[in-house]
Amino acid sequence: MTNQTLVEVKELKKHFPAAHKQFVRAVDGVSFTIQRGETLGLVGESGCGKTTVGRCLLRLIEPTSGEVRFDGHNLLEINRQELRGLRRQMQIIFQDPYSSLNPRMKVAEIVAEPLIVHGVGQKTERRERVAELLRVVGLDPDYASRYPHQFSGGQRQRIGIARALALNPDFIVADEPVSALDVSVQAQVVNLLQDLQEQFGLTYLFISHGLAVVKHISSRVGVMYLGKLVELAPADEIYDQPLHPYTQALLAAIPIPDPEARKREVTRLGGDVPTPLNPPSGCRFHTRCPHAMERCKIEEPEFTEISPGHFVACFLQDSQTA
């Protein structure tokens, strides 16, 4: 992995209009970078805004404000023609491997579609490329003549991965690519993504609601809560020394397949996730945090670097280091 920044995100916001002139603050000021060749895991409960972040990076959803730079290009300032050219370098793997594949198209058509859209190769070359891609993701090239409904969930996700690889991209947003699959198949797909990264030098934003899955593929992990990043650190560090109470609660919820093993001290969360229509004042997590102080209800903690590469937004760290 090099230290060259491929993706840079600054103060990204996405507010969806709602009834009565209100806005759903799905993403509300998120900043991070992704180095070329690394995997940044982005985790959090359903509805925290992680998928919206991924789609905003590719401009599948238009951000409300902020800055997204890809390989030096500000994606929010370029026109559609320039964006179309860059799309060859940025692809996405969707969460549901069935609904993301057109049931009326054969596998050969699905995988070749990006090549056709971007005018890459002749018919014979595209057919050869499809066969090569199916081999790369562990499928028999003869499957090219079949339809999506003839495959298992894991096989369908492999087809989606083959489609994402068709244009030799540099960056792939993997939007919960294994959450709809059986546990045994999840491991196979994660291993495949790791092998492909090594083989083609890919850079991933790996989105998931499960910290257990992210651990095995990520170089660094960012934790989101209600539209904001609350912690970002190297993967090993965030698992061994989680600093934010929300991160600690997510880790404590991971099942341990050993009845004799002692679980880490559990940070129990009270209440429900607040609505992004009207987020709590101060720290957005204070309504559920067992360590909340009066300050947390009024002030919003800054996203601060506590140790090299380890960022956290929590007043608890201020009181412990004071």
Side-chain angles (χ1 to χ4, degrees):
M1 186 181 79
T2 69
N3 290 322
Q4 181 184 356
T5 299
L6 181 64
V7 179
E8 185 177 7
V9 180
K10 292 182 180 178
E11 286 299 312
L12 181 67
K13 295 184 179 182
K14 178 58 184 177
H15 297 171
F16 293 98
H20 308 298
K21 296 184 180 180
Q22 291 181 299
F23 290 90
V24 175
R25 299 166 181 256
V27 178
D28 206 19
V30 169
S31 302
F32 59 85
T33 59
I34 306 176
Q35 306 303 310
R36 187 179 291 275
E38 83 160 333
T39 298
L40 176 65
L42 195 59
V43 301
E45 292 172 289
S46 296
C48 71
K50 55 192 184 297
T51 289
T52 303
V53 168
R55 296 192 177 206
C56 282
L57 295 196
L58 304 183
R59 272 183 67 181
L60 298 178
I61 298 174
E62 290 295 331
T64 301
S65 64
E67 187 176 311
V68 178
R69 290 190 172 273
F70 174 78
D71 204 15
H73 303 274
N74 189 338
L75 298 183
L76 308 189
E77 292 182 352
I78 61 179
N79 59 38
R80 288 190 172 276
Q81 188 173 354
E82 292 173 306
L83 180 62
R84 183 185 175 91
L86 282 174
R87 283 203 188 282
R88 292 183 60 168
Q89 301 171 51
M90 306 180 294
Q91 293 294 312
I92 185 168
I93 301 167
F94 293 99
Q95 177 177 355
D96 186 345
Y98 191 73
S99 63
S100 64
L101 304 178
N102 190 330
R104 296 180 177 86
M105 293 173 68
K106 293 180 179 180
V107 169
E109 299 170 298
I110 291 170
V111 177
E113 189 174 22
L115 303 171
I116 296 169
V117 168
H118 288 271
V120 177
Q122 301 300 316
K123 193 172 182 179
T124 305
E125 294 171 317
R126 289 197 290 264
R127 189 163 54 243
E128 291 172 355
R129 176 66 174 154
V130 168
E132 177 192 354
L133 287 165
L134 291 178
R135 287 191 199 96
V136 163
V137 299
L139 293 175
D140 191 324
D142 291 340
Y143 291 172
S145 60
R146 299 184 183 181
Y147 289 92
H149 73 269
Q150 296 176 281
F151 296 90
S152 67
Q155 289 174 320
R156 283 196 289 263
Q157 194 59 290
R158 288 172 186 266
I159 294 166
I161 293 170
R163 177 177 59 186
L165 291 172
L167 295 167
N168 287 318
D170 295 319
F171 176 56
I172 293 179
V173 174
D175 183 13
E176 303 206 35
V178 298
S179 64
L181 307 177
D182 293 338
V183 174
S184 59
V185 181
Q186 286 183 9
Q188 294 172 18
V189 172
V190 168
N191 290 339
L192 172 63
L193 290 171
Q194 288 178 304
D195 292 343
L196 294 173
Q197 182 175 39
E198 190 173 329
Q199 187 174 350
F200 299 111
L202 297 169
T203 303
Y204 292 138
L205 174 65
F206 191 96
I207 297 168
S208 175
H209 59 258
L211 273 164
V213 173
V214 168
K215 181 177 183 179
H216 300 289
I217 192 170
S218 301
S219 318
R220 292 181 298 139
V221 176
V223 181
M224 281 190 72
Y225 182 79
L226 212 62
K228 285 186 172 289
L229 272 174
V230 296
E231 189 163 3
L232 175 66
D236 290 341
E237 197 167 329
I238 213 163
Y239 284 91
D240 295 338
Q241 294 179 312
L243 298 180
H244 198 281
Y246 180 60
T247 309
Q248 293 167 4
L250 290 181
L251 285 168
I254 298 175
I256 298 175
D258 181 359
E260 301 300 321
R262 291 181 62 189
K263 293 195 70 171
R264 69 172 72 232
E265 187 178 341
V266 176
T267 302
R268 297 192 181 278
L269 300 184
D272 297 321
V273 181
T275 171
L277 268 172
N278 186 23
S281 59
C283 174
R284 296 188 175 186
F285 187 60
H286 85 257
T287 58
R288 304 174 71 199
C289 180
H291 309 291
M293 303 171 281
E294 280 302 313
R295 183 185 183 188
C296 304
K297 302 174 184 178
I298 305 165
E299 299 177 48
E300 185 174 333
E302 290 187 15
F303 199 55
T304 307
E305 190 170 16
I306 301 296
S307 61
H310 196 150
F311 297 81
V312 67
C314 183
F315 291 128
L316 195 62
Q317 298 307 312
D318 294 347
S319 63
Q320 290 177 352
T321 56

